């Protein structure tokens, strides 16, 4: 039996930031944005590609002596990290903030009661992430509604097949250089850089 081995898997690449590193100041410092994008996000891209290389190699060796569970754990972590960071950068913009508009505003009002109530719920989600992780607002196509999740790491406690609309990184690398251990102040400041047009666009694409 001849088993085809795909020789070269599609690789992930780091998307450039669409605004200058200091554009979100004073809310998020240039130093944080530079390290976060150029070092941390890049590490997830490289990690995802390294896991793909390992899978390619595993197939060539017919999985002999291969820890596929470990490789796939790495893949899940790094791909999720890559995707969440890619969304995070576009979910923010200089002079952002304010309120959601259009279809997103309608759905927030319908599913959370009001924009202010959504903001409270999302902030609570973010504040209460245990250790490292994310707060996300996601769309669930099955129930046709918006849900919030606290994600541990990049890939634990994810609602399967939900679509991220708005994501907030609460790993310490996202705020510690500027806010120290005061995650709450970082979250409050972050609302001033939210790009609601981008979030709205993500919702209308689904
Ligand atoms: Mn991060």
């Amino acid at each position: 039996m001849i088993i085809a081995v795909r020789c070269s898997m599609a690789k992930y690449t780091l998307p450039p930031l669409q605004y200058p590193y200091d554009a979100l100041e004073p809310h998020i410092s240039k130093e944080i944005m530079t390290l976060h994008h150029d070092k941390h996000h890049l590490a997830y891209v490289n990690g995802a590609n390294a896991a793909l290389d390992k899978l390619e190699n595993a197939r060539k060796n017919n999985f002999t002596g291969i820890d596929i569970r470990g490789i796939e754990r790495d893949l899940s972590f790094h791909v999720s990290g890559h995707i969440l960071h890619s969304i995070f950068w576009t979910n923010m913009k200089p002079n952002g903030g304010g309120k959601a508009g259009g279809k997103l505003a309608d759905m927030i009002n319908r599913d959370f009661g009001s924009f202010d109530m959504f903001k409270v719920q999302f902030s609570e989600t973010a504040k209460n992430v245990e250790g490292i992780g994310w707060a996300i607002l996601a769309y669930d196509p099955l129930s046709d509604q918006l849900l919030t999740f606290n994600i541990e790491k990049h890939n634990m406690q994810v609602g399967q097949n939900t679509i991220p609309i708005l994501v907030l990184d609460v790993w310490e690398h996202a705020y510690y250089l500027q806010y120290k251990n005061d995650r709450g102040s970082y979250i409050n400041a972050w609302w001033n850089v939210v790009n609601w047009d981008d979030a709205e666009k993500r919702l209308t694409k689904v």
Side-chain angles (χ1 to χ4, degrees):
M1 185 171 62
I2 296 169
I3 301 174
V5 174
R6 185 172 169 181
C7 292
S8 181
M9 298 184 78
K11 292 291 161 60
Y12 296 98
T13 54
L14 180 67
L17 206 57
Q18 296 298 310
Y19 39 80
Y21 292 101
D22 63 357
L24 303 183
E25 289 192 341
H27 308 294
I28 303 178
S29 73
K30 180 183 179 181
E31 187 183 19
I32 287 177
M33 290 300 290
T34 305
L35 289 169
H36 200 173
H37 179 270
D38 292 5
K39 303 292 183 190
H40 292 282
H41 187 170
L42 179 63
Y44 302 128
V45 172
N46 291 340
N49 289 333
L52 292 180
D53 287 343
K54 283 182 188 167
L55 283 174
E56 214 172 293
N57 187 52
R59 286 194 292 275
K60 283 177 188 155
N61 291 293
N62 209 23
F63 296 92
T64 308
I66 298 295
D67 173 19
I68 191 165
R69 188 168 56 200
I71 297 172
E72 288 175 345
R73 188 187 296 125
D74 284 352
L75 190 63
S76 169
F77 175 81
H78 290 291
V79 169
S80 299
H82 172 41
I83 291 170
L84 284 171
H85 282 91
S86 299
I87 297 169
F88 184 53
W89 309 133
T90 62
N91 267 175
M92 300 188 288
K93 68 170 185 179
N95 304 310
K99 289 187 173 187
K103 185 184 173 189
L104 179 56
D106 293 344
M107 286 192 70
I108 284 175
N109 286 329
R110 186 194 70 181
D111 297 340
F112 297 93
S114 67
F115 181 80
D116 289 341
M117 183 50 71
F118 157 70
K119 218 172 145 178
V120 169
Q121 180 170 324
F122 191 88
S123 294
E124 284 300 306
T125 298
K127 277 178 207 160
N128 287 285
V129 168
E130 196 167 31
I132 50 178
W134 298 73
I136 76 166
L137 171 70
Y139 173 68
D140 171 28
L142 184 62
S143 61
D144 183 32
Q145 67 184 329
L146 296 170
L147 302 170
T148 58
F149 293 105
N150 68 90
I151 295 179
E152 290 182 9
K153 297 186 177 178
H154 300 310
N155 52 338
M156 318 291 282
Q157 300 179 182
V158 180
Q160 297 293 340
N161 207 38
T162 62
I163 297 153
I165 303 298
L166 184 70
V167 305
L168 170 55
D169 190 340
V170 292
W171 282 55
E172 285 183 347
H173 67 223
Y175 63 89
Y176 210 85
L177 286 172
Q178 189 174 1
Y179 293 94
K180 303 293 188 292
N181 61 329
D182 189 0
R183 186 191 283 179
S185 290
Y186 160 66
I187 294 165
N188 291 340
W190 175 78
W191 289 110
N192 295 308
V193 294
V194 172
N195 183 345
W196 288 109
D197 290 339
D198 181 69
E200 156 85 359
K201 207 161 49 179
R202 296 186 56 75
L203 182 67
T204 51
K205 263 196 286 188
V206 301

